[in-house]
Amino acid sequence: MITIKSPWLWLLAIVSLLCAWLPLMPSIVAFFDFPQWLGTLDSRLLLLLWRSIWMSSAAAIGALILGWPLGLFLGRYRFPLRSTYLLFLPLSLMLPPLMVAQAWHGLTGMNGVWASVFSFACCYAPLPALLVIRSLSKQSSASYDAARMVSGGLGLRLLISHTRSAAFVGAAFCFIFSIGDFAVPDYFATVGDLFHVYSSEVFSNSRNSDFTAGAVSSLPLIIISLAMLLGLLPWLKNQQQHTSQQCAQPHTVKHSMSLSMFCLGVTTVLVFAIIGRMYFETGMRGPLATSSWLQTSSKAFADAFSLGRSDMIRTFQFASIGALICMVVAPLWAFVFHYSSGLKRNLLFVILVMPMLVPSLSLGFGSIVVFNQPYLDVFYNSIWLPAMLIAGRFMPIAVLICINAFGSQAAAVDNSAKLHGLSIGQRVYALFVRNNWRACLLGGALVFVFAMRELDFAILLPAANQSTAVRYYNALHFSRDNFVAAFGLSICFILFLPVMLHSWLSKNSS
Amino acid sequence: MSKIYSIICILLLGACSKPADLVIYCSLDQDLSEQIIRDFEEQHDIDINVQFDVERNKTVGLVSRIIAEAKNPQADVFWNNEIAHTIRLKSLGLTTPYAPATAEGIPAIFIDADNHYTGFAARARVIMYRTDIEVNYPKHLNDFLNSEYAENGVMAQPLTGTTLSNFAYLIQQSSTAEVVQWFDDVKSAGLGFSAGNADAMRRVCAGDYDWCFTDTDDAAKAVANGYAVDIHYLDQGIGKSGAMLIPNSICLIDGAQQNEMAKKFIDYVVSAESELRLANSTSAQIPLHRGITMPDGIQLPNRDYPVLDIPWAAVAAELDGAASTFQELFVR
């Protein structure tokens, strides 16, 4: 039982209030206009909403179809090139969804509603895959080996049952991110038949001087996403049944080549095809151009490096601080969830996820309203503000991963620590984080990646304006397609470099 | 563990910064304006904090930010890539008068009577058409209604940017009902719609359409990228012939009256030299100073083609209403 006297709970409350709830307050106030807004609901808005729901659901199913088997195979079996696929898997998360859309349109000429669904599925398929792999790393060796000995089918059923909560969490995130995104549908609408989604309406309303109209019209999306996440909570709790200190290891199978080919196919769809097309676009030019492909491409990369260098450094700074805050606070949140139940647990969950579900434009304007005060000028102009907002907005991602990991920690260990008089801090940081540092790191890394892609409040907050997202979208608007492709690839490469180095060094050291 | 502490220390050190001497909010494309601003920074040895806007995601952008920051203004200068929203800021009392000496030679129609803003370096609304094939493109806005033209053309939805300003002007000249009817008719005639001007331009470059209704800067970019296209200054006149010219505008934000560097910056940007730099850039912005030597490929307004006298203050007053009307019409 956690008491209100615990200083750790106070820390959690203060960080959540500062990072998430203060900037959210103006939007919350706007929500009281919801009954009045409901009066404006007409068939046009309902059609937009319905289209958004089914498209995001289809994208989530697509992400599940691509990501779940990929995660299962990579997490449980050994086969040729497995480590290469594992290495490249997170890369597609680092690609802006709009770039994925442009690449696939360039490759296939696809357009319309289903092209949007496909792009979203490709963008977010790594989420279920990564969460499934992480979940498999905690699977009980004894139960899995016993099931395999009985029959291969039983082993597979156990794998599916063990990983389904992780896979559904990943798919739910795909749904939430897809339903709030309008750049991708907007793009596919312009290259084919025109159509719109509900988030276009939210953004159009936010464009008026009164941002509260955007906040209130986003409520249907918030409610839908919230219901989806609340529905996931029992799944996360269910994960606790499958725990063991002896974890199952990846093993070889008969049809290893087939598995490798399957993973190659999916990784090509998620990563290689997109990277290849982007690289081609760095040198793309019109028929009357006098420079060669190589010259155009080289210039694009040179521009990307010289113009975008300082933006990258600045973005790294506030994204890293945001991710670090999440890595420190998320385990505490997970601990609080672990020891709460029923209504209290659901309320805490609403408090946690609300900042992620509100459009980031509303959060950005909320920050201006709350923090743009004469006595806070230094703070308002510092990178602490975007770092805090990033932590507040993307904290739920890190927390859900930690909740999932917390379930896999043997209850006896924590109970024993409690009986020995260890404080909450010691139990969370000395026991849980030490045993689950990979989960904390994955949470922090995902927060970092989403922070790098955040555009809307980057435009609104002084210290975040000089960021990679602003430069990227600015160049995109100005049709600097070569630069956009080169800059996007450079960002991916730099983000990906530590992953590659880590993988290479671990191989050498082993 | 010490490595982690070192990383945290580096991040914290990086988080500290001193306040800038001049804060500029700039909605002109970053790759056009950035070097001009950095050159000023270097010339005066000051630290400039420049904040850019992005049109791609239809964000509310810097205008809304200036409005939201009204109680504690952060910007000294707002360099807007169009004029209607600057007038909105003036009407909200968020700008302050300043008459740059370097504006001499710019026609009075582009300068606010109370000196709250100055227009310079314009874009024209044009038809960009392919030259690698024979193209039948419209010469007047009313030609869009003819399916012979419309079926091969594309334009941006009038939800944002210069296209919104363009059709807010048409609403101001006629009525909302007439403009809505016009859109219904051009849709029926087969005209295509895209998310933005740059998208429309790209689709013509890709060969999906023969012509598009866009801005001169987008067309100039297509030419620079090696596509076989040319432009025609579209007549939009009702009664009197003329193309629509949309200038950049610059203003001093209320609260920055004492910032001499802000005034110097406005002088610098409005000058004929800066206009020429923008004219020679890939966006080929049209200089407004009289007597300026036009770079090759840029035609002179009112000499090479007629230009409409736009009542910008009245157009600015129509913007919000026009945006709502077009949102209902197009966001479906």
Side-chain angles (χ1 to χ4, degrees), chain A residues 225-241:
Chain A
S225 304
L226 195 59
M228 167 156 282
L229 285 173
L230 277 171
L232 275 175
L233 273 180
W235 288 93
L236 288 168
K237 202 167 185 176
N238 190 38
Q239 182 75 7
Q240 292 170 38
Q241 294 165 11

Side-chain angles (χ1 to χ4, degrees), chain A residues 190 206-207 209 380 459 476, chain B residues 60 65 69 88 159 203:
Chain A
T190 65
S206 306
R207 212 169 54 229
S209 356
Y380 182 70
I459 293 164
L476 196 68
Chain B
V60 279
R65 184 164 150 191
E69 289 176 342
R88 263 184 72 207
L159 297 173
R203 297 207 68 182

Side-chain angles (χ1 to χ4, degrees), chain B residues 44-311:
Chain B
H44 292 84
D45 194 22
I46 55 167
D47 181 27
I48 295 181
N49 175 359
V50 54
Q51 304 277 299
F52 291 102
D53 206 345
V54 174
E55 245 184 85
R56 174 74 212 179
N57 261 12
K58 297 187 178 73
T59 52
V60 279
L62 295 175
V63 174
S64 302
R65 184 164 150 191
I66 291 169
I67 297 169
E69 289 176 342
K71 283 183 189 163
N72 182 34
Q74 295 290 323
D76 298 309
V77 175
F78 179 42
W79 175 355
N80 187 4
N81 70 349
E82 52 87 57
I83 195 164
H85 281 102
T86 310
I87 296 170
R88 263 184 72 207
L89 292 180
K90 181 199 168 191
S91 65
L92 290 168
L94 298 175
T95 58
T96 192
Y98 176 66
T102 49
E104 200 180 321
I106 294 177
I109 191 161
F110 296 115
I111 299 173
D112 179 42
D114 305 322
N115 290 318
H116 276 259
Y117 59 85
T118 306
F120 63 103
R123 287 175 287 172
R125 298 283 295 158
V126 293
I127 297 296
M128 186 189 92
Y129 60 93
R130 291 171 62 183
T131 53
D132 56 335
I133 55 167
E134 190 74 26
V135 174
N136 201 8
Y137 57 86
K139 315 294 183 301
H140 189 278
L141 203 60
N142 288 338
D143 292 342
F144 284 39
L145 299 165
N146 185 339
S147 58
E148 190 189 336
Y149 298 109
E151 280 172 354
N152 303 316
V154 62
M155 65 170 278
Q157 299 171 103
L159 297 173
T160 183
T162 50
T163 315
L164 175 62
S165 298
N166 194 149
F167 285 89
Y169 162 68
L170 293 174
I171 286 178
Q172 189 271 329
Q173 291 289 300
S174 52
S175 69
T176 303
E178 280 180 76
V179 172
V180 168
Q181 184 59 50
W182 185 87
F183 274 114
D184 284 342
D185 292 344
V186 294
K187 275 182 191 172
S188 307
L191 188 75
F193 285 92
S194 66
N197 290 318
D199 296 307
M201 175 272 280
R202 281 195 193 96
R203 297 207 68 182
V204 173
C205 292
D208 297 339
Y209 290 96
D210 294 346
W211 62 266
C212 65
F213 183 30
T214 186
D215 297 335
T216 39
D217 62 334
D218 292 309
K221 191 67 196 172
V223 173
N225 281 345
Y227 290 96
V229 292
D230 205 348
I231 58 169
H232 170 80
Y233 293 86
L234 184 76
D235 182 5
Q236 297 195 47
I238 302 170
K240 185 191 167 197
S241 285
M244 189 173 193
L245 218 55
I246 300 177
N248 280 262
S249 58
I250 194 161
C251 61
L252 196 63
I253 297 295
D254 190 37
Q257 285 91 333
Q258 304 309 318
N259 192 335
E260 288 306 314
M261 208 45 83
K263 292 171 185 170
K264 278 185 185 170
F265 179 75
I266 293 177
D267 289 346
Y268 165 78
V269 171
V270 168
S271 69
E273 290 73 28
S274 295
E275 275 206 312
L276 265 179
R277 281 184 75 172
L278 289 168
N280 284 311
S281 71
T282 45
S283 75
Q285 308 253 340
I286 303 158
L288 297 181
H289 275 88
R290 285 194 195 92
I292 206 167
T293 312
M294 284 282 172
D296 288 343
I298 296 184
Q299 292 182 294
L300 189 65
N302 283 328
R303 184 194 72 184
D304 301 321
Y305 57 96
V307 172
L308 292 171
D309 289 342
I310 309 285

